[in-house]
Amino acid sequence: MSLERFIKVYSNLPINLRNEIILVVDDQPLTWNVAYMEIKNNTSLGKTILQKLLELEII
């Protein structure tokens, strides 16, 4: 369910906003594009990103 929510939000973002930082994980700033790639590839970082975005009510 959270994956679908992320994809919906991501696909509706203007392309220039996808390079904006949305989250910092382990002192690493992450953009929408990086988040998309991590989530798409089902990495452990991607799972962490989804969880944090849900907690922060970004998605």
Side-chain angles (χ1 to χ4, degrees):
M1 178 172 149
S2 56
L3 173 63
E4 292 84 13
R5 289 172 62 179
F6 175 82
I7 296 297
K8 184 176 180 179
V9 170
Y10 180 81
S11 65
N12 286 313
L13 284 173
I15 291 174
N16 60 330
L17 287 181
R18 294 179 184 179
N19 290 318
E20 297 293 323
I21 295 170
I22 57 160
L23 193 61
V24 176
V25 176
D26 296 329
D27 295 323
Q28 295 294 324
L30 303 172
T31 65
W32 282 100
N33 284 331
V34 171
Y36 175 78
M37 293 305 294
E38 293 293 334
I39 292 167
K40 179 181 168 191
N41 291 318
N42 201 28
T43 65
S44 61
L45 178 58
K47 292 174 186 174
T48 301
I49 292 168
L50 274 177
Q51 179 184 357
K52 299 244 182 229
L53 291 175
L54 286 168
E55 289 172 5
L56 295 170
E57 297 181 2
I58 295 175
I59 61 168

